[in-house]
Amino acid sequence: MQANGGLVAGSHKRNELVRIRHDSDGGPKPLKDLNGQTCQICGDTVGLTETGDIFVACNECAFPVCRPCYEYERRDGNQACPQCKTRYRRHKGSPRVDGDEEEDDVDDLENEFSYPQGNNKAARQWQGDDANLSSSARHDPLPLLTNGQQVSGEIPSVRDNLSVRSTSGPLGPSDKQLPYIDPRQPVPVRIVDPTKDLNAYGLGNVDWKERVEGWKLKQEKNMQMTNRYGGEGKGGDEIERTGSNGEELQMADDARQPMSRVVPISSAHLTPYRIVIILRLIILGFFLQYRCSHPVNDAYPLWLVSVICEVWFALSWLLDQFPKWFPVERETYLDRLALRYDREGEPSQLAPIDVFVSTVDPLKEPPLITANTVLSILAVDYPVDKVSCYVSDDGSAMLTFESLSETAEFARKWVPFCKKHSIEPRAPEFYFAQKIDYLKDKIQPSFVKERRAMKREYEEFKVRINALVAKAQKMPEEGWTMQDGTPWPGNNPRDHPGMIQVFLGHSGGLDTDGNELPRLVYVSREKRPGFQHHKKAGAMNALIRVSAVLTNGAYLLNVDCDHYFNNSKALKEAMCFMMDPAYGKKTCYVQFPQRFDGIDLHDRYANRNIVFFDINLKGLDGIQGPVYVGTGCCFNRQALYGYDPVLTEADLEPNIIIKSCCGSRKKGKNSNKYTDKKRAVKRSESNIPIFNTEDMDEGVEGYDEEKSLLMSQRSLEKRFGQSSVFISATFMEMGGIPPTTNSATLLKEAIHVISCGYEDKTEWGKEIGWIYGSVTEDILTGFKMHARGWISIYCMPPRPAFKGSAPINLSDRLNQVLRWALGSIEILLSRHCPIWYGYNGKLKLLERLAYINTIVYPLTSIPLLAYCVLPAVCLLTGKFIIPEISNYASMWFILLFISIAATGILELRWSGVSIEDWWRNEQFWVIGGTSAHLFAVFQGLLKVLAGIDTNFTVTSKASDEDGDFAELYIFKWTALLIPPTTVLIVNLVGIVSGVSTAINSGYQSWGPLFGKLFFAIWVIVHLYPFLKGLLGRQNRTPTIVIVWSILLASIFSLLWVRIDPFTTDDKLDSIRGQCGIDC
């Protein structure tokens, strides 16, 4: 599918496919190098045969190779086609080589290349990775919409001059009429010969020219080493030459070095930390033993509640603490990655990556923020033919579509500016907002002038986006209409066809310097009434499928629409792990920490989550890897397909690759788990695809046993869905698309795989892709991968890879935390709960404890709320939860507090987290625990047990129009504020009541009062940020807070007069004895 080819909309079940083109679409443009073919090895013309036809070296794929290169490969190479790895047959006039005697009738070649329309028309003209093909330079395989007329029906078999390629394969025109591929037909399979070089079987992932040059260089080095060390009587010149190649040998050694390493945390930091944890565990045991064995008889209910709360807090601490036992840090070596896969002057061998951006409501997620995220992706420091950006519009908003069109046009200017001057970050809004010396390290005289011009261009771009936003505030009665007068297909967000538009691509969009840009694709999946669409998880699964059909990158990276690339080398950072021989085959994802812009200086509501990202996830990285946090994560596509990680060769049986592919899924009464004998793949250490499904019908003689083990088409469809193109893509470990697939087939398949009924009766959302069943699909998806034995990596580059926005006002922050906690409760009450799921020996114990802690933490809100109310109750009643203690008992209390403080200090020491961030985290733990977590528990119970669903609320990304951190002071009343407000007021009243009682009772009552006051003040201090949030900005206290304050003050004043604690009993009796009005 080409860039600027128009919007494609359709519905698979309704058998409709429509192509809508813009008015700005130009006429046909000539293709480049249309009259001749170029050899993909030496660059010369392919040439003609004796009969005048174009020379075709390989009759399997027609990969363009000239006669001299063909002869050289047969004589000195591996005698196979560099494209499809099929052994070259001998042509007339070619000298015989070893293996020719195995061929039958090798001299009878008259019928071997009998193409229907002549060889010169049948041979494909490959242009290579730098082909510049116009979107209108081919016959249009789809009906056009110019007057709003919809065309329905099957797509006929059409002529198409374009063969759609992958990001790593060739692309070129073809005059041959390509056959229509029916996706409902069984997918053919060809069994490959394991004795051949199958590193990129049929995909063209290995550049042949580089391979030949590398082979020649290797031979030259071998000859040099032989001449230097193999002969006797070396001369002085030869001795000097031994050092001339030292740098090259050193580079070769560096290329074999690991691309990352684990940086162990100093034992001087970790050893005391672990000792204190053990001591704290011992002290906690003695403390709980004392509390349980010394009840308070005159306040037994209060004592019982407090002991239950303390036992739960102890269990919660254990779940949180021990997964941090093995914290590690990592560092990457980008120079070694470049030496191995991305050498200067040579074609890049880096793996293709598909980047996903998800958005729903453009009014809550401003298009300008999404545009900045997309621009930072398009300008990333990675080979352009290896990057594809997919934007999922789950709200089918024409505002998102039009703003993405504007973004694609601005990217033609922005991307070359970023790469020319190596600026950071590459999101224009945040680059121009930096308050730094932007001239630092800039040496080009034209930089200042170009920067000013680019800033002006960006401001004009912002005006255009703002105009689109203003226009979209109110939908016309007849619905939105596109530029050519066609009604927008997504006018009804709950009932619309699937839509795909390629704005930029390797065959179309060029920047202002004439260089290619990464592919940019707009996707809006089909939605119909009566179907369950599974919110964000369903949208991400649709992106997995459509990207596999169109580009099929070996790795995926997903970001939220407000998380831009702050580090242009983020993809290379991830590839240091994914493409590392030691880690790549067992790593399911590389998680980056979340960093945020626009947070107030003191981070009042702990929006940065520093403790979680810099302590908890570092600890998990030393076990089995961090949990998936929903954004800024690079996935191995094979892990998302539900496969098992690669095992060592010692664990593999003969033919285990094929057996594991063909194993049937065992179904039990209570679970649908995969076992080691199924398709969930224990592959060998090689990079070869298992088999090529597009050639299944051909077969290879001598492999009948292996062929009998292949998975049937029905079982493939039951697992992945009824799309032959997508099923073929799932077997391509290194990514890429079969080069023989035509664009019409890809378009139809892309619409098909995003149809609303595609996932019916498949394993999508159960074992494949993002897992359904929770609004926090990230936790569930990562847990399933870890349960299969995969590991994950935590990558923290010196410059943060991604930055995003976070809600900084109190109400939005609590709603965000509510959604996270609700998702945890849903997982807790599901079959995927880590407490009882996945006991197959692949999930490590401490990793399981971390997942259990991730899903049970909302339950802590119930004992936390009770414990926060206890001090006030004790102050008001004069009772206490602790009896009079001896010196021995007081020692355990003191030691417990000392161990808690020591654990926190030592944790901050090895992690580098500041004490202010740690304290903000502690405060918000109490604020969230007494509000959002509490509501999540009850909402989760209602949803799971009673079927009462709660709506998913998109977090608003507001702009800061009223000054710095104006959003911080926005007050939005919500029921989440009631519990912490009640706790705060009750404790304030309790303190006043307790102090007044002590003043009235005398000196002896002050001793017991201190313990009660300590706990009450502890609660108030933790809720202090919440109190500031209620009051708002100075002189701008919300009216509702004033009304509530007056009402509560009046109630407490009346209660105070009724209780009258300062009046003594003697005076009270005398007052009662006086005569009143009725005396």
Side-chain angles (χ1 to χ4, degrees):
M1 186 176 181
Q2 288 185 317
N4 301 325
L7 175 69
V8 177
S11 175
H12 178 74
K13 287 197 172 183
R14 300 187 181 188
N15 202 22
E16 301 171 352
L17 191 62
V18 177
R19 183 165 177 265
I20 306 169
R21 298 191 67 179
H22 294 292
D23 293 336
S24 59
D25 289 346
K29 299 179 182 179
L31 290 176
K32 190 169 64 173
D33 194 18
L34 196 60
N35 297 324
Q37 284 191 330
T38 302
C39 175
Q40 295 299 297
I41 297 179
C42 64
D44 295 337
T45 304
V46 170
L48 304 177
T49 63
E50 296 176 355
T51 60
D53 294 329
I54 295 178
F55 176 75
V56 180
C58 176
N59 65 335
E60 294 289 333
C61 67
F63 186 72
V65 175
C66 65
R67 187 65 177 254
C69 292
Y70 160 79
E71 299 289 0
Y72 175 83
E73 168 58 23
R74 278 174 46 83
R75 183 178 67 254
D76 298 324
N78 61 9
Q79 304 179 5
C81 172
Q83 171 72 16
C84 67
K85 308 303 179 199
T86 303
R87 188 183 187 279
Y88 277 140
R89 298 178 65 88
R90 187 171 73 88
H91 289 220
K92 281 186 177 181
S94 298
R96 287 184 176 273
V97 297
D98 293 340
D100 285 348
E101 59 274 7
E102 299 175 4
E103 300 179 5
D104 297 331
D105 301 328
V106 293
D107 289 325
D108 184 14
L109 302 176
E110 297 297 328
N111 299 320
E112 288 192 14
F113 298 94
S114 56
Y115 292 92
Q117 300 177 1
N119 289 346
N120 57 341
K121 293 184 180 181
R124 228 179 241 103
Q125 183 181 12
W126 302 105
Q127 302 294 336
D129 286 341
D130 297 326
N132 178 18
L133 301 177
S134 169
S135 61
S136 57
R138 62 180 174 86
H139 295 293
D140 197 338
L142 298 174
L144 298 181
L145 263 188
T146 53
N147 298 317
Q149 299 178 357
Q150 188 172 4
V151 182
S152 301
E154 290 286 349
I155 297 180
S157 178
V158 295
R159 292 177 57 85
D160 197 332
N161 289 340
L162 181 63
S163 176
V164 177
R165 68 175 176 91
S166 70
T167 56
S168 58
L171 172 64
S174 173
D175 294 330
K176 178 182 176 182
Q177 181 173 353
L178 297 176
Y180 172 68
I181 301 176
D182 190 349
R184 296 170 295 182
Q185 296 299 322
V187 181
V189 171
R190 178 167 66 188
I191 309 301
V192 299
D193 186 353
T195 62
K196 291 184 178 181
D197 180 9
L198 304 175
N199 188 43
Y201 187 86
L203 303 179
N205 284 334
V206 178
D207 186 274
W208 183 242
K209 182 177 180 180
E210 180 196 14
R211 192 169 157 203
V212 171
E213 292 174 353
W215 180 83
K216 291 180 179 179
L217 180 61
K218 182 178 179 181
Q219 295 298 321
E220 292 174 0
K221 289 182 178 180
N222 291 339
M223 291 297 296
Q224 291 175 2
M225 296 299 291
T226 302
N227 293 335
R228 290 170 193 166
Y229 302 108
E232 296 180 359
K234 293 184 294 184
D237 293 339
E238 291 178 339
I239 295 176
E240 290 180 3
R241 286 198 302 268
T242 59
S244 63
N245 200 34
E247 293 182 1
E248 295 182 6
L249 295 177
Q250 182 62 39
M251 290 179 60
D253 290 339
D254 291 342
R256 289 191 292 266
Q257 295 294 321
M259 294 179 288
S260 65
R261 76 179 183 98
V262 175
V263 182
I265 296 176
S266 172
S267 59
H269 293 167
L270 276 186
T271 302
Y273 174 66
R274 291 168 176 169
I275 292 175
V276 169
I277 291 176
I278 297 299
L279 292 176
R280 179 176 173 181
L281 182 61
I282 297 172
I283 295 170
L284 185 60
F286 281 101
F287 171 80
L288 292 178
Q289 186 272 337
Y290 171 81
R291 292 285 286 125
C292 294
S293 59
H294 292 76
V296 182
N297 296 324
D298 59 341
Y300 191 83
L302 296 179
W303 169 83
L304 182 61
V305 171
S306 67
V307 170
I308 293 174
C309 294
E310 289 162 2
V311 171
W312 179 265
F313 293 152
L315 294 175
S316 179
W317 172 74
L318 290 175
L319 292 175
D320 179 69
Q321 187 66 67
F322 279 95
K324 296 182 282 189
W325 189 262
F326 301 103
V328 297
E329 295 178 344
R330 299 180 188 268
E331 66 178 18
T332 56
Y333 301 102
L334 297 181
D335 53 343
R336 295 178 182 175
L337 177 73
L339 281 175
R340 183 175 295 188
Y341 297 110
D342 195 26
R343 294 187 179 184
E344 187 176 355
E346 300 180 6
S348 174
Q349 298 300 312
L350 291 172
I353 301 176
D354 296 333
V355 184
F356 296 167
V357 180
S358 57
T359 182
V360 180
D361 188 351
L363 299 181
K364 291 184 177 180
E365 301 168 326
L368 189 61
I369 293 179
T370 305
N372 274 270
T373 300
V374 172
L375 289 170
S376 68
I377 295 171
L378 298 179
V380 74
D381 184 8
Y382 205 79
V384 293
D385 60 327
K386 306 285 187 178
V387 179
S388 300
C389 177
Y390 291 83
V391 179
S392 170
D393 177 18
D394 218 31
S396 67
M398 197 173 79
L399 172 58
T400 303
F401 177 82
E402 292 183 335
S403 63
L404 203 60
S405 178
E406 291 285 351
T407 303
E409 290 301 317
F410 179 70
R412 301 176 191 269
K413 305 172 184 177
W414 173 252
V415 173
F417 170 75
C418 294
K419 294 187 176 181
K420 179 179 179 181
H421 300 290
S422 301
I423 66 169
E424 297 283 359
R426 298 188 176 181
E429 181 71 21
F430 303 96
Y431 169 70
F432 291 121
Q434 290 182 116
K435 297 179 181 179
I436 61 173
D437 180 14
Y438 63 85
L439 297 178
K440 185 179 180 181
D441 300 330
K442 297 298 184 290
I443 59 176
Q444 299 188 27
S446 62
F447 173 68
V448 175
K449 181 179 179 180
E450 293 181 9
R451 186 182 186 276
R452 290 174 181 171
M454 185 53 60
K455 188 174 183 179
R456 183 170 62 252
E457 291 282 354
Y458 177 64
E459 290 173 349
E460 294 174 356
F461 167 73
K462 288 176 65 175
V463 170
R464 294 194 296 271
I465 295 296
N466 291 337
L468 293 175
V469 174
K471 176 185 174 183
Q473 295 300 315
K474 185 178 181 181
M475 175 184 281
E477 294 182 0
E478 64 277 8
W480 299 112
T481 304
M482 301 181 68
Q483 294 179 359
D484 60 354
T486 305
W488 171 246
N491 277 322
N492 187 346
R494 293 187 175 89
D495 187 5
H496 65 83
M499 295 177 284
I500 298 175
Q501 165 75 62
V502 179
F503 286 105
L504 299 172
H506 314 306
S507 61
L510 301 178
D511 61 26
T512 54
D513 293 343
N515 299 317
E516 293 181 359
L517 291 170
R519 188 183 298 264
L520 175 61
V521 185
Y522 168 88
V523 179
S524 181
R525 58 180 173 145
E526 181 185 13
K527 287 189 176 182
R528 301 296 181 189
F531 288 89
Q532 176 60 261
H533 301 294
H534 302 290
K535 301 177 181 176
K536 181 181 177 181
M540 299 307 294
N541 284 339
L543 284 185
I544 293 177
R545 296 191 295 271
V546 75
S547 65
V549 170
L550 296 180
T551 54
N552 197 28
Y555 302 101
L556 312 175
L557 188 144
N558 83 291
V559 291
D560 290 340
C561 65
D562 61 323
H563 276 69
Y564 65 90
F565 276 66
N566 183 63
N567 185 345
S568 62
K569 299 184 184 296
L571 295 182
K572 291 184 177 180
E573 295 278 354
M575 290 302 103
C576 285
F577 300 102
M578 287 298 193
M579 300 186 71
D580 190 287
Y583 289 108
K585 292 300 179 181
K586 56 184 178 181
T587 301
C588 56
Y589 59 81
V590 175
Q591 178 66 62
F592 293 89
Q594 293 185 26
R595 299 291 186 251
F596 300 97
D597 287 317
I599 305 296
D600 58 296
L601 182 61
H602 300 290
D603 193 13
R604 180 185 295 177
Y605 305 121
N607 286 279
R608 292 191 178 95
N609 268 337
I610 293 294
V611 171
F612 175 74
F613 287 111
D614 287 17
I615 297 180
N616 294 68
L617 293 191
K618 280 185 181 180
L620 290 177
D621 198 21
I623 306 172
Q624 199 173 344
V627 299
Y628 169 42
V629 298
T631 183
C633 188
C634 183
F635 285 93
N636 185 333
R637 190 183 279 269
Q638 300 298 311
L640 286 170
Y641 289 155
Y643 298 159
D644 279 353
V646 170
L647 301 180
T648 60
E649 293 291 340
D651 297 328
L652 299 177
E653 300 175 1
N655 296 325
I656 191 66
I657 297 177
I658 300 177
K659 289 182 180 179
S660 59
C661 293
C662 310
S664 60
R665 181 182 176 191
K666 297 181 179 180
K667 293 185 178 181
K669 295 181 178 180
N670 299 324
S671 67
N672 294 326
K673 301 176 184 177
Y674 281 91
T675 62
D676 293 341
K677 294 183 179 179
K678 7 182 171 156
R679 168 98 174 53
V681 135
K682 293 177 182 176
R683 287 175 251 229
S684 66
E685 292 288 345
S686 65
N687 291 330
I688 63 173
I690 303 170
F691 49 81
N692 188 355
T693 54
E694 76 174 43
D695 295 320
M696 282 185 181
D697 285 340
E698 294 184 14
V700 175
E701 188 175 355
Y703 287 89
D704 294 337
E705 181 179 358
E706 288 84 353
K707 188 174 182 179
S708 65
L709 295 173
L710 289 175
M711 177 184 302
S712 67
Q713 178 70 13
R714 180 174 297 180
S715 61
L716 283 171
E717 292 180 352
K718 185 175 181 180
R719 179 175 173 83
F720 294 109
Q722 297 182 355
S723 170
S724 60
V725 175
F726 175 75
I727 292 173
S728 299
T730 61
F731 295 110
M732 301 175 184
E733 282 191 78
M734 299 310 296
I737 305 174
T740 56
T741 308
N742 61 43
S743 59
T745 301
L746 292 184
L747 286 172
K748 185 174 182 180
E749 287 301 298
I751 292 296
H752 174 35
V753 298
I754 61 173
S755 60
C756 55
Y758 181 84
E759 296 180 354
D760 291 348
K761 298 180 181 179
T762 67
E763 295 180 3
W764 284 100
K766 302 172 185 175
E767 301 291 341
I768 301 175
W770 269 259
I771 306 301
Y772 303 150
S774 171
V775 294
T776 53
E777 69 289 329
D778 46 5
I779 298 176
L780 201 52
T781 302
F783 171 67
K784 291 279 286 186
M785 293 180 184
H786 283 135
R788 295 189 188 102
W790 291 92
I791 67 168
S792 56
I793 301 294
Y794 194 48
C795 182
M796 296 182 64
R799 180 179 180 86
F802 306 96
K803 280 191 176 182
S805 60
I808 62 175
N809 74 76
L810 180 59
S811 301
D812 286 346
R813 172 66 168 149
L814 290 178
N815 277 298
Q816 183 187 57
V817 174
L818 170 64
R819 181 170 63 87
W820 295 344
L822 178 60
S824 296
I825 293 297
E826 290 174 342
I827 299 174
L828 176 65
L829 300 176
S830 71
R831 74 180 185 93
H832 291 118
C833 176
I835 298 176
W836 52 72
Y837 180 86
Y839 284 95
N840 55 4
K842 296 181 180 180
L843 185 66
K844 295 183 179 180
L845 176 61
L846 293 181
E847 191 81 12
R848 183 179 297 277
L849 291 181
Y851 274 109
I852 293 175
N853 181 56
T854 303
I855 64 163
V856 302
Y857 77 90
L859 298 179
T860 307
S861 61
I862 298 175
L864 180 61
L865 182 64
Y867 212 71
C868 289
V869 173
L870 279 177
V873 175
C874 291
L875 287 168
L876 292 172
T877 60
K879 309 294 183 180
F880 199 38
I881 58 176
I882 300 175
E884 294 184 4
I885 58 178
S886 62
N887 293 334
Y888 173 77
S890 63
M891 179 187 69
W892 294 115
F893 283 85
I894 297 173
L895 289 176
L896 180 62
F897 284 109
I898 292 175
S899 65
I900 293 174
T903 305
I905 292 172
L906 293 174
E907 203 168 71
L908 300 182
R909 187 185 178 197
W910 66 254
S911 66
V913 175
S914 68
I915 191 170
E916 182 180 14
D917 290 324
W918 176 83
W919 175 238
R920 292 301 184 198
N921 182 79
E922 292 296 311
Q923 288 180 312
F924 196 78
W925 176 71
V926 177
I927 295 172
T930 56
S931 57
H933 298 171
L934 184 67
F935 276 74
V937 172
F938 292 103
Q939 287 187 15
L941 291 174
L942 289 174
K943 182 176 181 179
V944 175
L945 302 180
I948 301 176
D949 198 359
T950 53
N951 293 326
F952 169 77
T953 303
V954 179
T955 305
S956 300
K957 284 81 178 178
S959 58
D960 209 9
E961 299 175 353
D962 298 331
D964 292 340
F965 313 121
E967 187 189 355
L968 178 65
Y969 306 102
I970 296 176
F971 185 87
K972 302 175 184 177
W973 180 258
T974 172
L976 296 175
L977 303 177
I978 295 177
T981 303
T982 304
V983 171
L984 194 61
I985 293 176
V986 167
N987 277 277
L988 289 173
V989 172
I991 290 175
V992 174
S993 175
V995 172
S996 63
T997 302
I999 294 175
N1000 189 42
S1001 301
Y1003 176 79
Q1004 68 278 1
S1005 62
W1006 284 98
L1009 179 65
F1010 282 128
K1012 304 173 188 177
L1013 287 178
F1014 174 80
F1015 287 110
I1017 294 174
W1018 178 88
V1019 173
I1020 294 173
V1021 168
H1022 278 76
L1023 292 175
Y1024 177 70
F1026 176 83
L1027 179 60
K1028 291 184 68 175
L1030 286 180
L1031 298 179
R1033 191 193 294 266
Q1034 188 177 3
N1035 299 327
R1036 292 176 59 178
T1037 303
T1039 304
I1040 190 170
V1041 175
I1042 298 175
V1043 172
W1044 274 93
S1045 301
I1046 295 174
L1047 180 61
L1048 292 174
S1050 302
I1051 294 173
F1052 290 129
S1053 298
L1054 293 174
L1055 289 175
W1056 185 266
V1057 172
R1058 179 69 180 86
I1059 298 172
D1060 196 10
F1062 287 104
T1063 305
T1064 61
D1065 295 338
D1066 296 338
K1067 186 176 181 181
L1068 185 61
D1069 293 338
S1070 62
I1071 293 175
R1072 289 173 179 171
Q1074 295 178 0
C1075 294
I1077 298 176
D1078 299 329
C1079 183

